Amino acid sequence: MIIFLRCVSCDKKFDFSKIRYRCDCGEVLEVERSDFLSLKGKISTKLFDTRWKSRQFPYQSGVWRYKEFLFPIDGKYIITRPEGNTNLYNVGKSISNKIGKFTNVDFLYLKHEGENPTGSFKDRGMTVGISYAKLLGVKAVACASTGNTSSSLASYAALAEIPCFVFLPKGRVSSSKLAQSIAYGATNIEIDGDFDEAMSIVEKICNQFHIYLLNSINPLRLEGQKTIVYELLQQLNWKIPNWVVLPGGNLGNASSLGRGLKDLKEVGIIDKFPRIAVIQAHGANPFYRSYKGDFKYRHTMNADTLASAIKIGNPVSFLRAKKAILETNGVVEEVTDQEILEAKKIIDTSGIGCEPASATCVAGIKKLVKKTIIKKSDVVVGVLTGHILKDPENILPSKEKFLRNVQGTTLPHIVSKLLA
Ligand code: F0G
């Protein structure tokens, strides 16, 4: 068995070609390859740098450029928009940027995953998951979502012409995310409950009706998301930063970050790890609570935060993310909704912008610098996970910046006052 699924808890192995999301012990799975070390010497930073300049299918995608780290698949099954190739903004204090000043970090970069085709990092995992769904010839795909996974799945399923069902926690998904999955043609099913309930329902429905589940519980989604770290290191000329910081909800992204780094080290592309910092909202902080208790207990909770994308109280990828934290000498931090909004305002008014869940990462960087866990001279990369237009409900204009009901005749007076 060259490629197989392995339980993150008890190490039991399963056939890769059979659809499975959990081990018999109930834990989640990871994709493994017994021939992985044979990639050593066959792939190099030079190979990826050459492909980056190429417009050739599938290397124009910032996911499939690193296809050796994914799994073997015939190009005819690959469904790509293409995704990735997102900007890495240099916003450190050393260049006098306001985000650098806000966080007090000299060398700060923001990897804007909100610049993916559907506006969030989810597209990286989705291109891999949907391509595999195409290869399998599944009859339908589904997910539960706080809004970004559903937008992404709806788009990729439409591209692959596979029927798509999305399960959404009623009244808790932002209007623009809901609009996306409706517009792409998915069947939207509102669940009278929170994300964690929707997640548990969708897993049961998918198993009962043999619908292919494309939440991050599906290990193939995480394979695609590994490419965030490959691409950001490539943009840094393969120099390793001290820290990579990202928001944590269902913890799929933190897991794939850890896994991606491990892959790179195993094939000799990097020789050490950056430290990972996962930031949670105070009202949705089960992973933070577990970390504070040395991971002795797996906390769950009823989540409550204005950062709706990460309003999650029972993260599916808990164990995978714990591994990422332990292997990279990482940390977990929490920030309040107020701190999230302050960070968002700075990111937005710097001209870059992001959704509230993404601002959690910048708020966390600021807090970790204050605690001197991150040194102000460290090289830090923060991952902005979603686009500014993803959560319009949380964009509140100040009276000075949004003048309403202005009469034409009073305009010259108002403008001259504004310019004074
Ligand atoms: N940021 C954004 C913008 C998200 O949409 C999510 C998750 C996260 C961060 C957290 O990432 O779950 O990998 O820890 N959104 C999921 C969704 C839950 O349904 O769209 P994670």
Side-chain angles (χ1 to χ4, degrees):
M1 196 176 1
I2 286 184
I3 184 155
F4 55 92
L5 300 172
R6 193 176 52 78
C7 172
V8 284
S9 175
C10 71
D11 279 341
K12 190 167 176 182
K13 292 177 185 166
F14 297 94
D15 190 341
F16 179 72
S17 62
K18 304 244 161 58
I19 296 175
R20 188 176 248 282
Y21 315 107
R22 287 188 192 270
C23 177
D24 298 329
C25 75
E27 257 309 332
V28 291
L29 307 166
E30 281 186 320
V31 179
E32 296 286 356
R33 291 175 64 154
S34 54
D35 67 341
F36 192 71
L37 289 182
S38 70
L39 288 177
K40 221 171 168 170
K42 283 194 201 139
I43 53 171
S44 62
T45 55
K46 217 169 135 201
L47 172 73
F48 298 132
D49 289 346
T50 311
R51 285 181 184 168
W52 202 358
K53 290 172 204 131
S54 155
R55 298 311 298 157
Q56 193 195 333
F57 175 91
Y59 305 127
Q60 85 282 35
S61 158
V63 172
W64 296 100
R65 181 187 310 135
Y66 312 98
K67 73 177 169 68
E68 288 79 2
F69 286 121
L70 307 174
F71 58 92
I73 185 166
D74 192 315
K76 70 179 183 223
Y77 298 112
I78 292 180
I79 306 289
T80 174
R81 290 204 44 179
E83 44 294 306
N85 301 310
T86 59
N87 281 305
L88 183 70
Y89 292 97
N90 182 354
V91 293
K93 201 174 162 189
S94 63
I95 58 156
S96 258
N97 186 281
K98 71 195 280 185
I99 306 174
K101 288 184 197 156
F102 175 75
T103 52
N104 203 15
V105 177
D106 286 337
F107 306 101
L108 175 63
Y109 298 87
L110 292 178
K111 176 83 176 139
H112 208 324
E113 287 296 297
E115 294 172 356
N116 271 292
T118 76
S120 84
F121 71 96
K122 307 286 183 182
D123 296 342
R124 289 188 185 260
M126 215 51 89
T127 178
V128 173
I130 276 285
S131 298
Y132 195 60
K134 191 83 186 160
L135 182 151
L136 293 172
V138 302
K139 63 179 173 194
V141 290
C143 71
S145 183
T146 55
N148 279 327
T149 300
S150 45
S151 304
S152 182
L153 181 59
S155 161
Y156 281 82
L159 212 57
E161 298 184 7
I162 302 174
C164 170
F165 301 94
V166 306
F167 293 73
L168 305 169
K170 189 177 167 191
R172 300 170 205 226
V173 173
S174 83
S175 57
S176 54
K177 292 177 187 176
L178 185 58
Q180 268 185 295
S181 58
I182 292 172
Y184 287 130
T187 302
N188 295 265
I189 303 163
E190 278 191 340
I191 298 295
D192 203 3
D194 60 13
F195 169 81
D196 300 298
E197 284 165 282
M199 189 64 234
S200 127
I201 289 170
V202 76
E203 206 180 329
K204 286 188 198 121
I205 294 282
C206 283
N207 286 331
Q208 191 178 346
F209 293 96
H210 305 290
I211 296 170
Y212 193 51
L213 177 59
L214 273 168
N215 275 101
S216 56
I217 191 174
N218 184 327
L220 290 177
R221 277 272 316 279
L222 298 194
E223 288 296 284
Q225 279 167 218
K226 291 189 303 192
T227 61
I228 297 179
V229 74
Y230 304 156
E231 193 173 273
L232 77 83
L233 286 176
Q234 189 168 18
Q235 285 165 310
L236 292 172
N237 289 321
W238 303 101
K239 288 198 188 85
I240 302 152
N242 300 96
W243 290 92
V244 180
V245 186
L246 76 175
N250 217 13
L251 300 176
N253 219 19
S255 308
S256 40
L257 174 55
R259 188 49 209 273
L261 287 167
K262 197 163 153 246
D263 285 357
L264 287 176
K265 196 161 171 217
E266 274 178 12
V267 298
I269 288 185
I270 60 171
D271 57 5
K272 60 176 183 191
F273 292 142
R275 296 178 73 184
I276 293 178
V278 172
I279 317 296
Q280 294 208 293
H282 172 70
N285 65 355
F287 193 53
Y288 171 76
R289 290 184 193 198
S290 297
Y291 165 79
K292 284 310 250 185
D294 292 327
F295 288 122
K296 285 194 191 106
Y297 186 70
R298 182 173 178 164
H299 285 274
T300 59
M301 63 193 293
N302 285 323
D304 187 22
T305 167
L306 65 79
S308 58
I310 51 172
K311 196 167 167 176
I312 296 170
N314 187 13
V316 161
S317 289
F318 177 91
L319 267 195
R320 293 190 280 221
K322 172 184 159 188
K323 215 160 107 182
I325 291 295
L326 296 180
E327 283 175 358
T328 64
N329 188 24
V331 300
V332 186
E333 187 52 89
E334 63 163 0
V335 290
T336 63
D337 280 2
Q338 186 55 36
E339 288 169 319
I340 294 172
L341 284 181
E342 277 166 23
K344 176 170 159 56
K345 189 154 193 186
I346 298 290
I347 302 162
D348 289 353
T349 57
S350 75
I352 292 174
C354 66
E355 69 165 287
S358 313
T360 303
C361 129
V362 170
I365 294 170
K366 185 182 170 81
K367 189 161 177 187
L368 289 171
V369 172
K370 231 178 184 166
K371 287 186 166 178
T372 66
I373 294 170
I374 294 182
K375 290 204 263 335
K376 88 185 248 313
S377 56
D378 280 347
V379 179
V380 182
V381 180
V383 183
L384 297 182
T385 45
H387 194 275
I388 190 172
L389 293 177
K390 280 287 197 172
D391 208 342
E393 286 85 351
N394 279 302
I395 301 173
L396 301 173
S398 62
K399 264 198 223 129
E400 307 82 65
K401 295 282 184 185
F402 188 24
L403 313 182
R404 314 183 78 169
N405 297 322
V406 173
Q407 303 295 320
T409 48
T410 58
L411 252 184
H413 173 67
I414 292 173
V415 173
S416 70
K417 243 176 95 182
L418 287 172
L419 288 175

